[in-house]
Amino acid sequence: MEISRQRNPLFGPNRFKLGIFSANCDGGLTMSLAPERWKADWDDIVAMTRIADQAGLEFILPVAKWRAYQGKAKIYGRSFETLTHGAALGALTQRIAIFCTVHVPLVTPAFAAKAMATIDHITHGRAGLNIVCGWNQEEFDLHGVTIDQDARYDHGLEWFQIWSKLLSGGPEFDWDGRFFKLRRLETDPLSVQRPWPAVMSAGFSPKGREFAAQAADVLFTNLTQVDQIPGIITDVDSYMASWNRSISVFGMSHVVCRPTRREAEEFFHYFAEEMADTEGQDYYRRMRGTSAGSGATTVVRPFDSRFNVTTGKRFAGAYPGALPLVGTPDDIVAEMAAMSGRGLAGTSIAFLDYLKEIPFFVQEVLPRLEREGLRQKQAA
């Protein structure tokens, strides 16, 4: 069986697409010491994923991590490897796209082609690849690998070119490039999706967006307030125009949805302010940097959400660069409608406790999104 990758659930009919992010890691998308935070137990991951699958969410997106952020909470200290995670969840689901996050400095293109084709067959065409070129050298020290910060996206693009050529099929070939000298390349089976599985990348820097313009179908980017979206879309479109391509742009959100706005805001304040892991937040900002790019192409990373602006508090237990969606189901839908109206194709979502919180989201938010025309009713 062969299908176009445009039939991947990531490209389905819903105007505003949703997927679960970072549930393979403890803490999920928080830097909080709150005892209620996600523990990333395997059976809980499976149960949550099945709920998302049955509800019609578009994708599962894990984070590839090798060591914790160095704070008291040790966020990401426990995580499941994403290729094996994807193969297992692919066999346990029916509809949802299953993404695998691969650090290209650690995995050869031939290995990744074989692994992704395997998962694509397991899922009957629902696999996806999230390409990460690497940024935190301390994680790669664990593998004895050094990242060239200036050339990492060039290396990643050549890796993608080899990976995609392998999965496109055709005769055996050699590769003599800047970063790879490879002989007698071929792979079998090929992926179910043709010419290769759906590809996403997360890039905020100019080089990251240039990479996505050449390699990705979907770009995830940092944003912390809805008003930032039009400028981001305009900038991404300028990179796409250079390559005569189009791309879907997604945000990254943390959801706190409760029956009343007061309940939601109080809970957000509890885990993100009162129980914040400020050391973990400081580690992230120090290692990631407060800006991206270099020279004239330097851009400032967005960190401040409406909560920071209106209260003057830090909310360091929230993930930097994520948009907090905090309020009632109607509040959440209004924010998502605004995100869609300003040009986003969708967003990833996370919860402090995925399994405990996703049923209320599915029950209350999804039907409202359907009534707004942002999503279609899921068939039984």
Side-chain angles (χ1 to χ4, degrees):
M1 178 182 72
E2 294 184 357
I3 64 171
S4 166
R5 72 168 176 264
Q6 292 303 313
R7 289 179 58 188
N8 186 295
L10 186 69
F11 307 114
N14 288 322
R15 280 177 54 198
F16 195 73
K17 297 175 175 62
L18 299 169
I20 301 295
F21 181 46
S22 193
N24 67 308
C25 302
D26 73 314
L29 203 61
T30 58
M31 293 185 170
S32 177
L33 296 164
E36 302 95 331
R37 74 179 198 151
W38 185 240
K39 302 297 191 297
D41 291 331
W42 177 250
D43 289 345
D44 289 345
I45 292 172
V46 171
M48 181 277 301
T49 300
R50 282 175 162 158
I51 293 172
D53 183 35
Q54 293 166 7
L57 271 62
E58 275 78 15
F59 60 91
I60 296 291
L61 175 58
V63 177
K65 283 294 172 187
W66 304 101
R67 62 180 296 126
Y69 291 160
Q70 302 304 294
K72 292 179 181 177
K74 297 279 185 192
I75 182 176
Y76 293 158
R78 171 188 173 92
S79 67
F80 288 95
E81 189 282 319
T82 73
L83 289 166
T84 45
H85 170 274
L89 290 183
L92 296 171
T93 52
Q94 296 180 326
R95 306 176 184 182
I96 198 165
I98 303 293
F99 275 80
C100 303
T101 300
V102 171
H103 282 131
V104 297
L106 303 181
V107 180
T108 69
F111 185 97
K114 179 76 74 174
M116 291 304 303
T118 300
I119 298 168
D120 210 33
H121 280 263
I122 291 169
T123 60
H124 302 287
R126 293 184 286 122
L129 175 66
N130 176 30
I131 298 178
V132 178
C133 297
W135 59 271
N136 186 352
Q137 181 58 51
E138 287 192 358
E139 286 199 70
F140 293 88
D141 289 342
L142 184 148
H143 300 277
V145 171
T146 300
I147 304 169
D148 183 338
Q149 294 289 348
D150 294 328
R152 62 194 179 103
Y153 281 114
D154 297 327
H155 172 268
L157 183 61
E158 188 172 325
W159 186 100
F160 166 76
Q161 291 166 342
I162 300 165
W163 176 84
S164 58
K165 183 175 175 64
L166 275 163
L167 288 175
S168 296
E172 183 180 278
F173 65 96
D174 294 340
W175 187 274
D176 188 11
R178 175 183 172 188
F179 301 98
F180 295 93
K181 313 291 183 184
L182 306 172
R183 297 292 172 263
R184 303 189 65 183
L185 287 160
E186 64 174 349
T187 193
D188 188 12
L190 301 176
S191 56
V192 173
Q193 294 172 78
R194 310 304 303 139
W196 53 79
V199 174
M200 65 170 64
S201 69
F204 179 76
S205 70
K207 285 187 176 181
R209 292 178 181 179
E210 178 73 13
F211 171 82
Q214 298 173 74
D217 303 298
V218 168
L219 172 66
F220 279 80
T221 194
N222 295 129
L223 62 101
T224 54
Q225 299 184 59
V226 171
D227 289 345
Q228 297 163 356
I229 296 171
I232 290 171
I233 297 295
T234 298
D235 186 64
V236 171
D237 285 347
S238 70
Y239 287 96
M240 293 298 128
S242 300
W243 297 94
N244 195 28
R245 296 185 70 234
S246 61
I247 197 170
S248 299
V249 181
F250 282 61
M252 178 175 68
S253 304
H254 185 105
V255 175
V256 182
C257 187
R258 298 292 187 271
T260 69
R261 189 178 300 172
R262 180 176 178 178
E263 287 178 89
E265 291 182 348
E266 286 181 349
F267 190 73
F268 182 69
H269 186 276
Y270 158 69
F271 81 77
E273 178 65 20
E274 297 172 27
M275 301 297 290
D277 177 13
T278 56
E279 292 177 14
Q281 178 83 207
D282 291 343
Y283 174 85
Y284 176 91
R285 295 194 186 207
R286 183 174 67 254
M287 300 303 294
R288 191 67 160 157
T290 57
S291 62
S294 59
T297 57
T298 297
V299 289
V300 177
R301 294 189 185 280
F303 288 126
D304 290 338
S305 71
R306 65 182 176 91
F307 292 95
N308 306 110
V309 173
T310 59
T311 68
K313 296 179 179 179
R314 193 175 181 195
F315 289 96
Y319 198 85
L323 175 65
L325 300 177
V326 181
T328 67
D330 288 333
D331 292 331
I332 304 302
V333 170
E335 291 238 52
M336 289 184 173
M339 295 164 76
S340 176
R342 286 165 174 77
L344 285 192
T347 188
S348 66
I349 57 175
F351 305 91
L352 186 71
D353 184 331
Y354 293 81
L355 184 56
K356 183 177 180 180
E357 297 181 61
I358 194 173
F360 185 72
F361 180 88
V362 167
Q363 178 182 335
E364 299 295 336
V365 175
L366 292 188
R368 287 171 166 82
L369 289 171
E370 293 165 9
R371 291 195 289 271
E372 284 290 320
L374 292 173
R375 296 182 65 82
Q376 298 179 7
K377 188 173 180 60
Q378 177 71 4

